[in-house]
Amino acid sequence: EPEVTQTPSHQVTQMGQEVILRCVPISNHLYFYWYRQILGQKVEFLVSFYNNEISEKSEIFDDQFSVERPDGSNFTLKIRSTKLEDSAMYFCASSESDGETQYFGPGTRLLVL
Amino acid sequence: GDSVTQMEGPVTLSEEAFLTINCTYTATGYPSLFWYVQYPGEGLQLLLKATKADDKGSNKGFEATYRKETTSFHLEKGSVQVSDSAVYFCALIRNQAGTALIFGKGTTLSVSS
């Protein structure tokens, strides 16, 4: 069964450093998403991406964040200058079309020290 | 804004007990409703969904019915197993009005033998 994959599974970084989280969505899916889950809190939407453009973003997704689809398979989330409060589990998801079921990857646990 | 409210956990049950996890929502229009499950150390997996009023989603013995009149989507299972121990998230997506999944805070279920 096709699945969303994410790398790395864990990342530790120093405050102020840039990090790039990588995702490979399901191959025939056209919509891609990033969510985050701070420990003990709810899963929060960050951004959705379609046709090489951001289609929706939350207020969390400020200028420190960016997304990119650098090739036909990868989808990345970049945090330009990490803050302590960026420590969270980051989930990538994909769906075939708008409003359809979103399938999630296993997540990347980011720890900012 | 749109939101999802779940009963507070943790929920602790013995094997073969009946499970109900309450979920209510606030949304404009007619959202699609989902239950996702997160097993320890893993990502989010879709458990079941319903896209319109009175629809019943079901999977692996779990059921939930989309009740528009009470804006609810309660999760039920007649006989839980130890392997059902996980965190359960209720979520909605606003049809024709965005792509973000809006999650509840999650309910932790612990089943003992």
Side-chain angles (χ1 to χ4, degrees):
Chain A
E1 185 177 324
E3 58 183 19
V4 177
T5 60
Q6 290 184 241
T7 55
S9 58
H10 294 79
Q11 177 141 10
V12 180
T13 190
Q14 296 292 322
M15 190 170 55
Q17 295 296 304
E18 175 185 285
V19 295
I20 297 176
L21 310 183
R22 292 182 167 80
C23 168
V24 178
I26 294 173
S27 61
N28 64 330
H29 285 186
L30 300 177
Y31 288 78
F32 315 118
Y33 313 85
W34 284 101
Y35 292 81
R36 77 173 187 190
Q37 183 182 28
I38 295 172
L39 189 64
Q41 299 186 25
K42 66 168 66 176
V43 178
E44 301 172 293
F45 170 76
L46 293 178
V47 65
S48 60
F49 191 85
Y50 169 71
N51 200 26
N52 284 320
E53 290 185 344
I54 290 174
S55 52
E56 188 178 355
K57 62 181 181 179
S58 71
E59 58 191 26
I60 302 169
F61 193 87
D62 61 22
D63 292 344
Q64 293 299 313
F65 292 89
S66 61
V67 289
E68 190 179 29
R69 187 152 165 83
D71 54 43
S73 59
N74 289 284
F75 179 52
T76 62
L77 174 70
K78 181 192 291 187
I79 308 175
R80 197 182 346 268
S81 176
T82 50
K83 302 187 285 280
L84 296 176
E85 54 264 38
D86 293 327
S87 296
M89 179 74 91
Y90 287 81
F91 292 107
C92 174
S94 68
S95 65
E96 280 189 61
S97 62
D98 188 7
E100 289 295 314
T101 300
Q102 295 179 25
Y103 294 89
F104 284 75
T108 294
R109 184 169 296 284
L110 176 66
L111 178 61
V112 183
L113 301 176
Chain B
D2 297 350
S3 65
V4 175
T5 302
Q6 288 181 238
M7 61 187 290
E8 294 285 330
V11 174
T12 303
L13 295 173
S14 298
E15 208 164 21
E16 298 183 4
F18 184 85
L19 168 71
T20 300
I21 299 178
N22 290 337
C23 170
T24 56
Y25 67 90
T26 302
T28 53
Y30 303 96
S32 293
L33 302 174
F34 302 82
W35 277 100
Y36 280 84
V37 59
Q38 185 178 29
Y39 297 103
E42 299 185 15
L44 296 163
Q45 299 177 26
L46 176 68
L47 182 58
L48 53 85
K49 68 177 185 180
T51 57
K52 60 183 187 297
D54 299 325
D55 266 3
K56 178 187 282 188
S58 61
N59 186 26
K60 299 181 181 180
F62 291 89
E63 293 183 341
T65 301
Y66 189 141
R67 301 283 188 203
K68 183 169 172 290
E69 63 277 12
T70 54
T71 62
S72 65
F73 193 55
H74 303 323
L75 182 68
E76 296 182 336
K77 187 175 185 182
S79 176
V80 294
Q81 305 300 312
V82 172
S83 57
D84 293 327
S85 298
V87 182
Y88 292 82
F89 293 92
C90 186
L92 69 82
I93 192 165
R94 298 165 295 162
N95 290 327
Q96 302 171 345
T99 55
L101 271 169
I102 297 168
F103 285 87
K105 289 187 175 181
T107 302
T108 300
L109 170 66
S110 179
V111 181
S112 57
S113 58

